[in-house]
Amino acid sequence: MKKDQTMRGLARAAASALLLTLLAACSLEPTYKRPDAATPTAFKEAPAADAKDAGTWKTAEPAEAAQRGEWWKIFNDPMLDDLEHQAADANQDLKAAAARVQQSRALVRNARSDWFPTIDGGFGPTRQRLSPASQFLPPDANVPAQTLWRAQATASYEVDLFGRVSSNVHAAQADAEQSEALFRSVQLALQADVAQNYFQLREFDTQVDLFRRTVALREDSLKLVQRRFSEGEISELDLSRAKNELATARADAVGVARQRATSEHSLAILLGKAPADFSFPATPLVPVTARVPAGLPSVLLERRPDIAAAERAAAAANARVGLAKSAYFPKLDITAAGGFEAGTLADLFHWSSRAFLLGPFAGTALTVPIFDGGRRRAGVEQARGKFDEDVAQYRQQVLQAFREVEDNLSDLRLLDDQIQQENDAVNASQRSAHLSTTQYQEGQIAYLDVIDAERQVLQTQLQASQLTGVQAVATVNLIRALGGGWGDMKADNANAVGMNGGTQEVAKQ
């Protein structure tokens, strides 16, 4: 008889365990599929040679864990290389993004801890007085107060019914992956900002040099006009005009120097330095000749970290739909306790003082939702709405990425023609200024014609300088729009994204 009862007990326990396992495997989380997004087969503004060599369309698979490499080395500029490494070591925005990754990974570990029981230990006395009614005594019975000493361990565990815990873990994992993609987005933005500020600063140096030479030319012109005025060949009007042109050139030079100072301060902040501790040597900009192939539009979805972040946000929202659905179903919490209990501290750890709470359903709480005024339904609708929002934002981010690439491709294509035409204008204006100066010295034209010619030279040179800076910045913007890389560049390490300068490594775990 006792053997039959034991076998029946084991059978019930095995059946209960099997039932709980099946319920735990029955997840309510919708099957996630990466949202589709309209993707063209080639970029409209890509050069014909790039479009021909791009290959055929392929399905995009996010590669947010891939290193983008030191893409700025395409400019072959050791000074830029040094600035990029300084920014990676000390930029505070990058350190903050790395800290957010650490926080998100800690949240994943916190969510995973729900898969395991919680065990606590305690020790101490309790003072209690039981009521006569609880002891089945008359109302006026005297029930003395008593002190109980306890030393016990308690364990609690939530059974993962209907994938409640698993969905929460999946959502936390997707959040962590989104945080890592956002870190790479901050990293790429920092690298691009450093390069842009660097080229803009050098373009200001070009303008400063241009105004320096213009001021020197104006000073020579003033000496010429002053001599001719002293000899009575011209009126004071020409002398006043020459002085005005010199003063204007000097004022414009100061204005450019002010802009340069502001740009230098911005670059210092990107490098994690106080502006007072950073000084950039004057280095006029030379034309940037680097050319970046755009590649396939589908590859853009793999390389852009902001697109990867948007896609991971949708995955997290999908997991939270399952978490919201699980609120409709029972929740099973299991608790147990065991240890020692005695009326005096001296008797606490005797073998006879042991106590426990244990049994097939002892300490369990199966909570079954019945009515909540529509709270669970609202939770599911909110989770579904959040998922739809994140999917729409993902698709919008994809469209925005395509637009940024097309904008910069068209900028670079048209800038080549514009720079060529502007260089021709510079040469023509310089020739015109030379002829006007010669004719003025011979008394054939008025000094106002010389002023107009020299102003035109300065204007065309400034426009040419600005276009050179715009071309350099547009090249950086194209690389940034492409996700920080191009072609078949391979990652140095596809499993880690690290920073120097004491910041903890941000690595895929």
Side-chain angles (χ1 to χ4, degrees):
M1 176 66 70
K2 184 179 294 185
K3 183 176 180 181
D4 292 341
Q5 291 177 347
T6 301
M7 293 299 295
R8 284 196 296 269
L10 292 174
R12 285 196 298 267
S16 300
L18 179 60
L19 177 60
L20 291 176
T21 301
L22 292 176
L23 291 176
C26 183
S27 176
L28 300 174
E29 181 180 333
T31 301
Y32 177 71
K33 181 181 179 182
R34 185 176 299 109
D36 59 331
T39 306
T41 57
F43 289 111
K44 173 183 176 182
E45 299 290 346
D50 290 351
K52 180 179 179 181
D53 297 337
T56 57
W57 183 89
K58 70 183 186 67
T59 303
E61 294 292 338
E64 65 271 19
Q67 282 274 26
R68 271 66 184 173
E70 296 180 334
W71 53 263
W72 56 87
K73 289 193 173 181
I74 191 176
F75 298 108
N76 194 27
D77 191 329
M79 189 175 294
L80 177 59
D81 296 345
D82 181 61
L83 293 176
E84 292 287 358
H85 288 118
Q86 289 184 47
D89 290 343
N91 183 266
Q92 299 304 310
D93 287 336
L94 194 60
K95 291 179 183 292
R100 287 192 291 271
V101 173
Q102 299 302 323
Q103 295 174 44
S104 65
R105 289 177 178 170
L107 290 176
V108 173
R109 291 192 292 270
N110 181 68
R112 286 174 175 171
S113 68
D114 291 337
W115 275 329
F116 305 95
T118 300
I119 301 176
D120 300 308
F123 169 79
T126 58
R127 182 73 174 172
Q128 65 180 9
R129 180 183 181 277
L130 301 177
S131 67
S134 66
Q135 304 301 310
F136 303 100
L137 297 175
D140 57 349
N142 181 25
V143 180
Q146 60 180 340
T147 300
L148 284 179
W149 288 84
R150 290 187 178 89
Q152 64 181 15
T154 60
S156 60
Y157 175 68
E158 178 185 351
V159 180
D160 188 15
L161 296 182
F162 305 101
R164 186 194 311 273
V165 176
S166 298
S167 294
N168 189 43
V169 172
H170 295 162
Q173 288 174 332
D175 285 340
E177 292 167 353
Q178 180 191 15
S179 180
E180 292 173 4
L182 290 174
F183 166 79
R184 296 185 182 92
S185 184
V186 171
Q187 186 182 49
L188 175 59
L190 171 64
Q191 294 168 349
D193 288 344
V194 169
Q196 290 173 359
N197 273 264
Y198 170 73
F199 287 125
Q200 289 172 350
L201 190 57
R202 291 189 59 181
E203 193 234 315
F204 284 132
D205 286 336
T206 301
Q207 294 187 27
V208 168
D209 181 67
L210 177 60
F211 274 108
R212 179 186 57 77
R213 291 186 281 112
T214 300
V215 168
L217 179 62
R218 296 288 191 270
E219 290 173 344
D220 292 339
S221 297
L222 179 59
K223 291 178 182 178
L224 172 63
V225 173
Q226 182 71 53
R227 179 178 58 82
R228 296 192 64 186
F229 173 74
S230 299
E231 295 175 354
E233 297 180 3
I234 59 174
S235 67
E236 187 179 355
L237 178 60
D238 286 350
L239 180 61
S240 299
R241 285 172 173 169
K243 290 180 179 179
N244 175 68
E245 290 301 310
L246 175 58
T248 300
R250 286 173 174 170
D252 290 341
V254 174
V256 173
R258 179 177 55 82
Q259 292 177 316
R260 184 195 186 282
T262 302
S263 180
E264 186 179 61
H265 300 163
S266 299
L267 182 57
I269 298 303
L270 290 174
L271 302 180
K273 299 179 179 180
D277 299 331
F278 176 73
S279 180
F280 185 81
T283 312
L285 180 64
V286 295
V288 171
T289 58
R291 291 294 179 265
V292 180
L296 289 171
S298 57
V299 176
L300 182 66
L301 306 189
E302 301 177 2
R303 301 199 61 86
R304 289 271 298 225
D306 54 343
I307 293 179
E311 187 272 331
R312 288 292 84 196
N318 180 79
R320 290 190 172 94
V321 171
L323 186 62
K325 286 182 177 180
S326 67
Y328 278 99
F329 297 88
K331 179 180 179 182
L332 180 60
D333 293 313
I334 301 175
T335 60
F340 298 92
E341 182 179 271
T344 63
L345 182 59
D347 297 332
L348 180 60
F349 293 103
H350 291 176
W351 184 249
S352 60
S353 300
R354 66 189 186 280
F356 61 88
L357 178 64
L358 188 63
F361 291 100
T364 64
L366 183 65
T367 305
V368 181
I370 298 176
F371 177 75
D372 61 2
R375 179 178 300 173
R376 285 165 295 165
R377 180 178 179 181
V380 173
E381 292 177 352
Q382 179 185 7
R384 286 174 173 166
K386 176 61 176 171
F387 173 74
D388 293 339
E389 176 190 1
D390 289 340
V391 168
Q393 289 181 342
Y394 166 76
R395 289 170 176 161
Q396 182 63 28
Q397 193 67 40
V398 171
L399 293 175
Q400 179 70 16
F402 288 148
R403 195 208 75 177
E404 291 174 359
V405 174
E406 298 284 10
D407 286 349
N408 288 286
L409 284 172
S410 63
D411 278 351
L412 290 173
R413 176 174 59 83
L414 297 174
L415 276 169
D416 287 337
D417 295 336
Q418 190 176 4
I419 289 174
Q420 180 61 48
Q421 297 299 324
E422 196 62 41
N423 289 336
D424 293 341
V426 170
N427 295 331
S429 65
Q430 288 175 334
R431 177 61 178 168
S432 176
H434 174 71
L435 293 175
S436 64
T437 301
T438 302
Q439 292 176 0
Y440 174 72
Q441 292 174 348
E442 296 175 354
Q444 299 179 8
I445 60 174
Y447 187 66
L448 185 59
D449 295 326
V450 177
I451 292 176
D452 289 339
E454 290 180 347
R455 283 178 179 172
Q456 191 62 36
V457 171
L458 178 60
Q459 184 65 29
T460 55
Q461 286 178 333
L462 285 174
Q463 290 178 350
S465 171
Q466 291 170 354
L467 288 175
T468 302
V470 170
Q471 184 186 49
V473 171
T475 304
V476 174
N477 285 336
L478 176 59
I479 297 174
R480 179 177 182 173
L482 291 172
W486 57 91
D488 296 325
M489 175 183 291
K490 295 183 179 180
D492 295 332
N493 181 358
N495 296 320
V497 174
M499 297 183 300
N500 299 323
T503 303
Q504 292 182 347
E505 184 186 59
V506 179
K508 195 78 172 179
Q509 290 184 345

